[in-house]
Structures are given as structure tokens and as C-alpha cells.
Amino acid sequence: MSDEIKVELKRGINVIRINRLAKKNALTRAMYASMTDALKAGDENPDVKVHLFLGSKDCYTAGNDIADFMAVAMGGEHGTEVMDFLSALTHSKKPMVAGVDGIAVGIGVTMLFHCDQVVASPRANFKTPFVDLGVVPEGGSSLLAPLLMGYQRAFSLLAMGETFDLDMAWQAGFISVKTGED
């Protein structure tokens, strides 16, 4: 399990915290594997009532660690960590909640579409740079985003790569609770 994912059971809450602030919580394959293990273990633990995804103060996650993924692409190695995580996310047996403070980029946004509730601070902002990177949206986001926010807003976020601040995300409908704290 990666040290950059902290997992803790608190009063029935399976807290899964992304903890790699020096790299803006960018996700590596090892971190995906740790989050998959945490979701699966939490689903099987009768003491867990809900999964809670958190980042650090001022940073949820900058998305995928590009260096980690380039190493995979250049080396020809095709691990299953990302797909395993997305599968665990879509098949979770228990409710999922996310608390977003600061930036959420790429998978940091698309994983929110799978959550039952998303709480965000005024510092939260959301971006999916798929077109900029020449990749397609992942995690079923091209299906889920239009269902949650309508076609035009989903297109702005996923295809145009527009940054959504807290109010835009709230109006779009993928944030369910806005905190008043800075």
C-alpha cells in the first residue's frame, strides 16, 4: 500500500486521504492500487458505513502523475491499477462522499461523478484537460457528466477544458454541499 494514501476508519467512515502534497496530490499507479484496496476492504468491513475521499488543504488532486504514466507508456508496461480503481469506484457497495478543497483536475473531477455527495470549499476549482492532453475523458465521465449537469455544461468541462469554480460546479449540479469556510 502506498504511503501517499492514508486510510483510517473513524466512526464508521472509511477515510481515504490523498497525501502527496509535494506533487499536488498527483496520482501514481501505486496510489490507485492503494485506493482500490481501501474501497474493497471498506466494502467488506461491516463497520464501514461510508467511504470518504479527501485530499490536503488547498489541494484535492492534480490528477494523474504524468511522469508515472509516461514511464508506463514508454516502457510498454500496461498495469491495471487505474482500471481496477475505476471498477472499484463504480461497483462500491457503500455510499461515497468526497470533500474537495483547492484544485481537482482530471480524474480528481471525474471520480466525483461517482460520489453520492460532494462537499467543496470556496477554494475548490475543477478542470478536466483531456483535450489539451490529447486523451479521452475517463471513468464514464462522458456519460455521467451530461446526466448530472446537462450536455452544454458537460461539454464546457470535458471537451472545452473550462475551469469551473465552486459556484459554477454548484450550478452544474456535481457539488451537493458548499462550505462557507476558507
Side-chain angles (χ1 to χ4, degrees), residues 7-150:
V7 180
E8 182 179 10
L9 180 60
K10 286 185 175 180
R11 290 172 276 167
I13 302 168
N14 186 31
V15 180
I16 304 168
R17 182 179 296 275
I18 306 166
N19 189 41
R20 188 182 183 215
L21 197 51
K23 293 286 187 174
K24 295 185 179 180
N25 290 338
L27 300 170
T28 63
R29 290 172 49 203
M31 293 167 73
Y32 278 113
S34 293
M35 290 191 298
T36 300
D37 292 345
L39 278 172
K40 287 180 176 180
D43 278 347
E44 298 306 318
N45 184 342
D47 294 333
V48 171
K49 305 302 179 209
V50 63
H51 301 290
L52 173 62
F53 292 99
L54 297 172
S56 306
K57 184 176 182 187
D58 294 326
C59 185
Y60 184 65
T61 176
N64 290 322
D65 182 299
I66 300 301
D68 186 63
F69 280 77
M70 285 303 294
V72 171
M74 301 307 278
E77 182 184 342
H78 299 287
T80 63
E81 296 87 356
V82 176
M83 292 307 293
D84 291 345
F85 172 69
L86 292 172
S87 179
L89 209 72
T90 59
H91 294 99
S92 179
K93 299 174 188 173
K94 299 189 179 171
M96 295 182 293
V97 175
V100 180
D101 185 33
I103 64 168
V105 179
I107 186 69
V109 176
T110 59
M111 71 187 288
L112 302 177
F113 301 150
H114 295 275
C115 290
D116 299 286
Q117 186 166 52
V118 179
V119 179
S121 81
R123 288 183 297 270
N125 65 69
F126 309 87
K127 184 165 179 70
T128 58
F130 300 120
V131 172
D132 296 343
L133 297 171
V135 297
V136 297
E138 83 271 306
S141 57
S142 59
L143 170 69
L144 297 174
L147 291 174
L148 285 169
M149 65 179 88

